[in-house]
Amino acid sequence: MAVATARWLVLSLLVSAAAAAHDTKWKAGAAVGGQVVEKERRRVVAESEAGTVTATDVADAAGTVYRLQFITMDPGALFLPVQLHADAVFYVHSGRGKVTYIQEGGSETSSLEVQRGDVYNLEQGSILYIQSYPNATRERLRIYAIFTSNAINCDDPSHPTSEAYSSVSNLLRGFDVKILRQGFGVSGEVVEAIQSAKSPQLIIMYNPDQEKKEKSNWTEEIFDALWGDESPLNKKKKKDKHKKKDKKDDKSKSETFNFYSGKPDVKNCFGWSKTMTNKDLQNLKGSNIGMFMVNLTTGSMMGPHWNPKATEIAIVTHGSGIVQVVCPSTDEGGRRGGDHGQGGVECKNSVFRVKEGDVFVVPRFHPMAQLSFNNGSFVFVGFSTHMGENNPQFLAGEHSVLQVIGKEIVALALGQKNTTAVEQLLSAKSGSTIMACISCAEELERKAEKEEQEGGKGEREREEEEERERKQREEEERKKREEEERARREEEERARR
Ligand SMILES: *[C@@H]1O[C@H](CO)[C@@H](O)[C@H](O)[C@H]1NC(C)=O
Ligand SMILES: *[C@@H]1O[C@H](CO)[C@@H](O)[C@H](O)[C@H]1NC(C)=O
Ligand SMILES: *[C@@H]1O[C@H](CO)[C@@H](O)[C@H](O)[C@H]1NC(C)=O
Ligand SMILES: *[C@@H]1O[C@H](CO)[C@@H](O)[C@H](O)[C@H]1NC(C)=O
Ligand SMILES: *[C@@H]1O[C@H](CO)[C@@H](O)[C@H](O)[C@H]1NC(C)=O
């Protein structure tokens, strides 16, 4: 029994364990059970004195791959213009800055003043650059972005061939000088200047007061080359007189959503949560991604629930906690029963410990609960895929599906001959989806650690046993073959005589 339970609980405390699990899941092409990507395992996309970009890929149960990027910019840094190759949703975790973008086919730049808690999205084909304000609190501008595209889907996550965006300078540099001159109708010097310059880092320090002239020259030429007279910057220059009006238009067109403005959906002394779907936010229209944020105070729990349509991809932004994920279709009967056509990857119920910067993924239909420790709060922000009509289903409380099913049927489903326990389960008053759960995280962690150790032992014993059985089977088969051989030879002998 202990061994059986052990198989149910996997604690990925060790990086290597998580790494192995992650790799296996990748081979299967889809997430099976929950998955965690530790902060330390992110891939470095760009690194300079002014900032860094790290990335990780995660998959949902259907095998769709999402690329997460973590952009950190020092105050006063500039993230140079890139063209998006994927649809993107951005969440501003800290700092203040300005995001300037041109939608595909657009002929105008628009800009957003962004601050902590803001969410906005951009379509593939858009060009954008980001400034981190040098003033204000001198806090670093930190942005979490999620990218989706078919190109990302067929990539090997450790050595991706397609990035989520490309530098604008790469769009031009690849061409022959003559092609650029003729194609864009610019002078040789312009082409020369663009092509001979050393490729800059993705994020650089930028002081607009000192470098204004040079900088605007550089961007203008690129935009001029790309769009000619239709360059958005040219238009912008012409329109600068009407700047006030433009700004207002931009604002109404692309209001950012902010997690810290307005009321949370759920709030009590154990924490709060807030969800945002593409219906809530003009910005996310046309995007399949929604967002949520959960802040659990000490010793609290986000009660057991699952998503019927969405996969949750969450990033821990503060503290640490425990996430329990249950497999919706585990065969309790035997450990070989877990193959759900995923190339032999077993869906395992799991208990993960996660810390600031870690990413955890919970596929749809997988019931989960998140718990904070007694000594600190646990805050995570996340992206949910396919947010259209997804309504998280809670197991407890008066709106639980179990209530709807009714106690008799639930008792049968749980194999309870006696409905008393089920009655108590369903009549228990649980006012909210966020509730107190003192020492729950600690106990779960301890238990999972213990089971992990025992489980490891159990695994070895089982393997040894299997090996023994296999040897015995082979031995028997060998004997049988010899027996048959002898019989055949005797038969031949007899026939000859
Ligand atoms: C910071 O600088 C930007 C642009 O230089 C300006 O728009 C903004 O008002 C400034 N903010 C503060 C708090 O000084
Ligand atoms: C701006 O570009 C022109 C040529 O197009 C060049 O002569 C000039 O030096 C540039 N300015 C700066 C500050 O680099
Ligand atoms: C989480 O909630 C607590 C209590 O309401 C608050 O003090 C803390 O600042 C919140 N943390 C975040 C990151 O929102
Ligand atoms: C909080 O408690 C957990 C579990 O007991 C422990 O692992 C963790 O280190 C503690 N965190 C802090 C900040 O003390
Ligand atoms: C059902 O179980 C409860 C306790 O779990 C017990 O008190 C009760 O007598 C049982 N009823 C029947 C009919 O067995």
Side-chain angles (χ1 to χ4, degrees), residues 84-85 118 187 281 303 342 461:
L84 292 182
H85 295 183
D118 277 350
S187 74
L281 179 59
Q342 303 275 12
E461 279 169 359

Side-chain angles (χ1 to χ4, degrees), residues 309-329:
K309 299 244 173 71
T311 291
E312 282 191 8
I313 301 164
I315 301 156
V316 181
T317 58
H318 180 84
S320 57
I322 293 284
V323 182
Q324 179 159 35
V325 182
V326 172
C327 275
S329 53

Side-chain angles (χ1 to χ4, degrees), residues 96 113 133-136:
R96 278 171 177 274
E113 301 281 327
Y133 282 152
N135 46 8

